[in-house]
Amino acid sequence: MSEVQFGLAIVATINAAIRFSVPITLGSLCGILGERSGIVNIGIEGMMLMSAFTGFMTNVFLSRPEVSATLQDAPVRLTIALAVALLTGAAMGLLHGVLSIQYKIDQIISGAVLNILALGLTGYFYQREAPTLGKLPDLIRNPWPRSESVELRLADNFTFYLPHDIGRILFDKDLITYLSILLVFVLGWALYHTTWGLRTRSVGENPRAADTLGIDVYRIQYTNLALGGMLAGLAGAFLTLAAVGLFEQGMTAGRGFIALAVMIFGNWRPSGALKGSLLFGFAMALQNQLQLFGINFPHQLVGMLPYILTIVVLAGFVGRAQPPAHVGKAYEQE
Amino acid sequence: MSASTETRPAPAPARLRLPFAPRLWTLVQGLLIPTLSVFTAILVGSILILLNGRDPITAFEGLFEGAFLEPRGLLATFRNMTPLVLSGVSVAFAFKSGLFNIGAQGQLIIASVVAAWAGFSIKGLPPVLHVTLALAAAGVAGAIWGAIPGALKAYADAHEVITTIMLNYIAMQFATWLISTGSADGTIKPGPLSNPNSMDAIPRTPPILESAELPVIYTVPPNFELHIGIFIAIIATIAIWFLLYKTTFGFQLRMVGLSATAAKYAGVNVKRNMILTMAIAGMLAGLAGGIQTLGVNHGYEANQSLALGFDGITVAFLAGNNPIGVNFSAFLFGAMDAGTTRMSRTADVAKELIQVIQALILMFVAADQIIRRLYRLRAVGRGPIIRRETP
C-alpha cells in the first residue's frame, strides 16, 4: 500500500488517541474522587451521557432564533451550556450520594440506577437533528504553517513536516482537552498535598478512624461525588460541545466503563489515569486507523484489549491493583 | 465487611415458623414495597408524559392493550418475559451467595452466538436432539463465561463487579467480530461465523437449521410465534428454588452469602462455592441467550439482546431476589416491553419512557425508605431487601 502517507497517519492516530482519551481521563478522575472516599461509582457512564445531553440541549435552546443575540454569542452560549453540563454531572453525583449514603442502598445498584435512568431520560427527551450555532472552537491555532516547515523525508511515503506536525499535535485543541490534562495534575497534587486530599484518602481507607478524628465522613463523600460528577459532566460536555458537536442516543458507548477500567489500571492515582487513558485511547485510535497503515486486522479484536488488560491487572498477573480499603461499603456513623 | 459487622446486629438466624395469619401478613408486607415502587414509578412516568404535552391515560391504555389485549399481546408478553426470567434468576441466584452478577449480559451474548453456531453448523441431527444440544451448548458457554469471574474472585481476589463489566465488553466485541462482514474491498476478512448471503447490512450468523428451532406452541398470523421457552424458564426458576432451599449446596451457598467467614469456619469450601455459583448463574443467563437465538431470532444478529442481561438486575431486585418471584417481576417487565410499540404509536410517547420507569422501579425497590417515607409506612423490622455481604 504505497499510497499511504505514514507521517500523516501517525499524526492522525496520535490526535485520535488524544481525542478518545479526554473523556476517559475525566471519567476516571471522577471514579478516583469517589473511590478514594469509599464510594464505588459504576454510574460514570450515565453521568457522562446525561451531562452530554443537557449541555447539548442547552446549546440547542440558546441557538434558537428567538433567543437574544447576546446569549447567542459563542462564548456566552457555550459557557452556559458547559455550566449546565457541569451542574447536571454534580446533580447526578449527589443523587448517587443520596441513594448510597443516606438511603444506604448498594453502591453498585445506585450506579446502575444512574446508568439506566440516563439512558432512558436522554432517549425520551431526544430530538432528532436539533440544530445548534456551533461547538467549542480550538483554543490555540497551530502557529506553524506547513508551507514554512522543514520537510523530513524518512522514506518515500514517510514524511514529517517540522514543526508543523508537532503543532498539529500540541495545538488545534479545544479548551476541555487542555483542561483535562491540567486537572490531572491539580488533582494529583491536591490528593497528596492538601487537607482535603488527606481527608479523602483517610475516609476511603478507614472511615471509622477518620470519624474518630473529627472528619465529617459523609460530607467528604458528598463533596467528592459532586466534584466527581462535574468531572464526568465535563467529559460529557466534551463529547457534545467539543468533539462531536451533536448528541446521539447512547453516544457515550461504554466510555464510562472504560474510565472505570482506567482508574483501576492507573491504581487509583490521577497520573496513572492519564497514562492509562492515553494507552487505552491509543488502542481505540488504532482500532479505527489500522487500515490507514495497511494492516488488515479486525478492529474488534483490538477493541477487546483494554478490557482484557484491566482483568489482567486486577487479577494481579501484572503488577497489582490496590483499591482503597473501605471502598464499596456503606459507612454507618455511630 | 468489618465495619457493618461491628455496628449492625447479625441477620436473624433460621427463620421461625410463624402461624398462618402472621405469615400471610409478612407476605403482604413483602409485596407492599414492590407494588408501591411500581406504582410510584408509573406516576413519575405520567408526569414525564405530561411534561412532553402528551396524555398519560392514552399512553398507559396503549401500553396495556399492547401487552395484554391485541391478538398477540399476552403472547408477546410471555415471549418477552422468557429471557428476563432467566437473566433475573441468574442475578438473584448469584446474589444469594453474596456475588453481584453484572455479567449476565456478556454471558447471554456469548451463549447466543454459541447457540447459533451449534444451530447452523451441526447437520443431520433429529429435531429434538439438535435443539437440546444447541441449548445445552448455550448453557455451557454461559457457564464458562460466568465461571471466569468466579475463579478470578476466588483465586485472585478480583472484584466480580469489575471483572464482569469488563467481560461484558469483551463478549460484545468478540461477538461483533465473529459475525462482522469484513471490509468491502476484501482486505479484512469477514468474521468466522458471519453470513455470506446476508441480504441487508445487519451483520448476522447464517440462519439456524429448522431442526434447531425451539418448538412453537402458538402462531399468530402473519409471523408471530410463541415458542416453548417460557416453560423452560419457569422450570429453571423452580429448580433454582429447590437448589437454594432444599439442598446442602444451596444451604452452603446462602451461608456464604450471609457471612463468608462463618461459612469458612463451618467447613464450607468458599472458593469452590464461588466458582460454582457463578457458573450456574452464567448458565442461566446463557440459557436466556440460547432461547432468544433458537426461539426468536433463529440465528444471532448484531444487538439482538441489547439490554436483557442488565434488565435482569432490575427484575431480580424487584422480586427481592426470590427465584420464584422473578417470574412475576419478569412478567411485568415483559408486559412493558410488549406494550411499548403500541404505546408509542397511539399516544406518541417515546419508547424510552419505559426505561425511565424501570430505572425508577429499581431505585425505589432498592431505597425502600423513600417509599416508606412517601406512604408513611412503619418499618416492619425487615431491613431493606437488598443488603449483601461481600465474601
Side-chain angles (χ1 to χ4, degrees):
Chain A
M1 303 200 64
S2 58
E3 72 273 20
V4 178
Q5 263 301 336
F6 280 104
L8 267 178
I10 286 173
V11 172
T13 309
I14 292 173
N15 272 332
I18 294 172
R19 205 163 47 243
F20 277 121
S21 70
V22 170
I24 297 174
T25 308
L26 290 167
S28 57
L29 290 179
C30 164
I32 289 171
L33 281 190
E35 298 223 347
R36 278 299 180 124
S37 55
I39 309 275
V40 174
N41 187 358
I42 67 161
I44 303 171
E45 175 88 358
M47 293 174 159
M48 272 191 203
L49 187 66
M50 197 75 141
S51 318
F53 182 72
T54 56
F56 175 69
M57 287 316 282
T58 311
N59 193 10
V60 168
F61 179 78
L62 293 177
S63 301
R64 282 184 184 172
E66 65 264 28
V67 176
S68 76
T70 43
L71 285 177
Q72 288 196 332
D73 192 27
V76 180
R77 175 170 51 87
L78 291 167
T79 309
I80 297 176
L82 201 57
V84 169
L86 292 182
L87 287 177
T88 309
M92 294 286 277
L94 288 177
L95 176 65
H96 187 39
V98 169
L99 292 177
S100 61
I101 300 169
Q102 186 178 354
Y103 290 109
K104 299 220 161 34
I105 80 175
D106 197 292
Q107 293 167 9
I108 303 296
I109 309 230
S110 174
V113 167
L114 294 191
N115 287 337
I116 312 175
L117 202 60
L119 210 55
L121 280 175
T122 55
Y124 179 67
F125 288 109
Y126 171 69
Q127 290 168 4
R128 207 169 289 279
E129 285 157 25
T132 71
L133 288 176
K135 53 180 186 173
L136 280 173
D138 290 340
L139 205 59
I140 312 166
R141 298 214 54 80
N142 188 354
W144 301 308
R146 186 170 173 168
S147 53
E148 292 170 18
S149 296
V150 181
E151 200 179 313
L152 183 68
R153 184 179 287 267
L154 299 176
D156 262 358
N157 54 357
F158 201 163
T159 319
F160 283 115
Y161 296 92
L162 297 176
H164 172 74
D165 281 342
I166 294 175
R168 280 179 56 208
I169 293 169
L170 290 182
F171 305 112
D172 293 348
K173 305 271 185 298
D174 58 277
L175 171 76
I176 300 177
T177 306
Y178 295 114
L179 205 57
S180 71
I181 294 168
L182 185 70
L183 280 166
V184 167
F185 292 106
V186 169
L187 281 175
W189 175 80
L191 207 50
Y192 295 95
H193 295 95
T194 64
T195 320
W196 164 80
L198 183 65
R199 287 184 177 167
T200 296
R201 286 181 294 130
S202 61
V203 166
E205 294 297 332
N206 192 340
R208 174 77 60 226
D211 198 359
T212 316
L213 293 172
I215 296 172
D216 189 340
V217 174
Y218 295 156
R219 192 174 156 167
I220 288 278
Q221 291 180 330
Y222 273 115
T223 312
N224 285 5
L225 283 174
L227 286 176
M230 289 170 93
L231 292 170
L234 197 58
F238 175 78
L239 294 175
T240 50
L241 297 178
V244 190
L246 280 175
F247 182 86
E248 288 154 42
Q249 281 179 290
M251 74 182 298
T252 40
R255 285 182 177 83
F257 291 112
I258 296 191
L260 205 64
V262 162
M263 174 192 74
I264 297 164
F265 200 74
N267 217 351
W268 287 266
R269 285 165 191 274
S271 56
L274 180 63
K275 284 179 221 154
S277 53
L278 282 173
L279 185 72
F280 283 26
F282 197 68
M284 288 164 88
L286 268 187
Q287 216 189 118
N288 292 354
Q289 316 257 342
L290 272 180
Q291 260 192 300
L292 272 182
F293 290 102
I295 300 167
N296 300 317
F297 191 74
H299 65 84
Q300 294 94 344
L301 296 183
V302 183
M304 281 161 54
L305 275 179
Y307 306 110
I308 295 175
L309 274 178
T310 303
I311 292 181
V312 168
V313 169
L314 195 63
F317 298 136
V318 179
R320 188 81 185 97
Q322 187 66 50
H326 204 268
V327 76
K329 303 160 196 165
Y331 173 67
E332 223 154 316
Q333 235 160 12
E334 280 174 342
Chain B
M1 198 158 187
S2 53
S4 72
T5 38
E6 284 160 25
T7 56
R8 201 179 286 146
R15 191 180 294 162
L16 294 172
R17 195 89 182 141
L18 295 170
F20 179 68
R23 249 162 61 208
L24 193 69
W25 178 235
T26 331
L27 183 72
V28 171
Q29 283 276 352
L31 290 177
L32 201 57
I33 298 290
T35 313
L36 286 175
S37 300
V38 172
F39 175 73
T40 316
I42 289 178
L43 221 57
V44 177
S46 309
I47 297 172
L48 286 179
I49 296 175
L50 283 173
L51 275 180
N52 250 13
R54 308 283 190 275
D55 178 18
I57 307 287
T58 325
F60 287 113
E61 251 172 29
L63 188 73
F64 186 83
E65 280 165 15
F68 302 112
L69 299 182
E70 281 181 332
R72 51 189 264 189
L74 191 60
L75 302 178
T77 296
F78 283 141
R79 196 172 84 172
N80 285 344
M81 74 180 268
T82 306
L84 294 175
V85 170
L86 286 163
S87 65
V89 80
S90 163
V91 176
F93 177 75
F95 207 86
K96 284 286 178 196
S97 142
L99 293 165
F100 210 139
N101 186 20
I102 303 263
Q105 185 67 36
Q107 294 143 16
L108 202 144
I109 289 175
I110 287 294
S112 312
V113 181
V114 169
W117 181 51
F120 75 75
S121 65
I122 305 174
K123 294 186 174 72
L125 286 180
V128 180
L129 191 63
H130 194 184
V131 71
T132 315
L133 190 76
L135 203 56
V140 170
I144 293 172
W145 209 252
I148 297 171
L152 284 170
K153 177 157 183 130
Y155 292 109
D157 203 24
H159 201 293
E160 82 278 5
V161 168
I162 307 291
T163 50
T164 49
I165 288 176
M166 299 305 140
L167 282 165
N168 283 344
Y169 278 95
I170 295 173
M172 274 178 223
Q173 296 270 8
F174 190 59
T176 318
W177 170 65
L178 285 175
I179 61 169
S180 61
T181 47
S183 59
D185 58 357
T187 48
I188 293 182
K189 277 188 237 134
L193 298 185
S194 68
N195 182 4
N197 308 318
S198 184
M199 285 300 155
D200 50 32
I202 303 168
R204 56 160 62 90
T205 63
I208 57 169
L209 302 181
E210 233 170 88
S211 56
E213 289 177 9
L214 274 180
V216 171
I217 314 170
Y218 198 85
T219 310
V220 180
N223 55 10
F224 179 88
E225 290 174 340
L226 179 67
H227 56 75
I228 61 159
I230 182 71
F231 298 114
I232 300 174
I234 293 175
I235 292 168
T237 60
I238 297 171
I240 289 297
W241 174 82
F242 187 84
L243 181 69
L244 272 173
Y245 294 102
K246 302 289 167 194
T247 66
T248 319
F249 172 65
F251 180 74
Q252 290 184 345
L253 188 151
R254 287 183 292 130
M255 193 150 80
V256 173
L258 288 174
S259 167
T261 330
K264 201 172 149 194
Y265 282 111
V268 177
N269 186 341
V270 176
K271 288 183 195 293
R272 196 190 65 122
N273 207 288
M274 241 173 223
I275 301 173
L276 208 54
T277 307
M278 281 305 288
I280 293 173
M283 182 199 74
L284 291 164
L287 285 179
I291 286 175
Q292 284 308 92
T293 294
L294 304 173
V296 182
N297 292 71
H298 296 157
Y300 177 81
E301 66 177 46
N303 304 334
Q304 84 174 25
S305 46
L306 214 47
L308 291 172
F310 294 121
D311 288 347
I313 300 168
T314 317
V315 165
F317 286 115
L318 182 58
N321 291 311
N322 176 326
I324 303 296
V326 160
N327 287 301
F328 298 97
S329 53
F331 177 76
L332 181 76
F333 273 52
M336 284 191 198
D337 290 347
T340 43
T341 317
R342 173 116 183 179
M343 176 191 75
S344 63
R345 202 174 54 228
T346 56
D348 190 24
V349 169
K351 285 179 180 175
E352 285 78 9
L353 180 77
I354 297 304
Q355 244 172 343
V356 179
I357 292 181
Q358 291 177 350
L360 290 171
I361 290 177
L362 178 61
M363 184 175 96
F364 289 137
V365 172
D368 60 342
Q369 283 185 49
I370 300 179
I371 293 294
R372 286 184 199 285
R373 192 166 292 178
L374 266 176
Y375 295 97
R376 308 270 184 277
L377 293 177
R378 270 186 305 126
V380 283
R382 179 175 179 266
I385 306 168
I386 295 149
R387 176 159 295 158
R388 81 199 155 110
E389 178 155 357
T390 324

